[in-house]
Amino acid sequence: RNFQLLDRSEVFSSEMKFRKRAGKKKYLDVWPVNFLTSAETNVSDNTSLFMFQLSCIVNMVPKWKRHTIRVFMCVRAADSNISSKEKELQKLLEVLRIKAG
């Protein structure tokens, strides 16, 4: 719809901007959050595992291959088990053989 109004020069110039940034470090950020439930996010539930799997597949695409996967975990401010959850997440990433920063 309205594809004929697309400014091709803008599209191709943005591709050149992308190439100019090629020397900078790039990241693929993963937020394993389940928005369908109000419960706290569990890193080993199906939604989180799907997000990890999807990020690995995207990271295999040649244009995204040089990106480093970063995993962010949402926790409540009142939660005192942050270090144990971080260790659980690191162990899961190790088991899944995901190299994440």
Side-chain angles (χ1 to χ4, degrees):
R1 192 168 169 177
N2 298 327
F3 191 69
Q4 70 276 10
L5 300 176
L6 177 68
D7 184 10
R8 293 181 185 175
S9 62
E10 180 64 30
V11 172
F12 292 120
S13 69
S14 66
E15 182 67 26
M16 291 304 292
K17 291 176 191 174
F18 176 76
R19 289 182 183 161
K20 288 180 184 177
R21 298 183 295 202
K24 296 183 180 177
K25 187 118 175 148
K26 299 174 190 164
Y27 298 100
L28 178 62
D29 293 339
V30 181
W31 293 81
V33 177
N34 189 352
F35 291 110
L36 302 176
T37 65
S38 61
E40 191 170 321
T41 302
N42 183 3
V43 293
S44 60
D45 69 350
N46 286 339
T47 304
S48 298
L49 294 175
F50 176 70
M51 294 301 292
F52 293 137
Q53 187 177 30
L54 187 61
S55 66
C56 287
I57 292 169
V58 169
N59 196 238
M60 291 178 192
V61 175
K63 192 169 186 174
W64 293 87
K65 202 172 204 87
R66 293 192 177 122
H67 288 63
T68 302
I69 296 177
R70 289 192 302 186
V71 178
F72 294 92
M73 194 166 119
C74 296
V75 293
R76 293 193 167 96
D79 198 352
S80 62
N81 287 347
I82 294 174
S83 62
S84 66
K85 290 184 180 192
E86 186 178 355
K87 287 178 186 176
E88 179 186 357
L89 177 62
Q90 287 175 346
K91 184 164 178 68
L92 178 66
L93 292 173
E94 189 177 299
V95 168
L96 295 174
R97 297 183 291 184
I98 297 175
K99 295 178 183 175

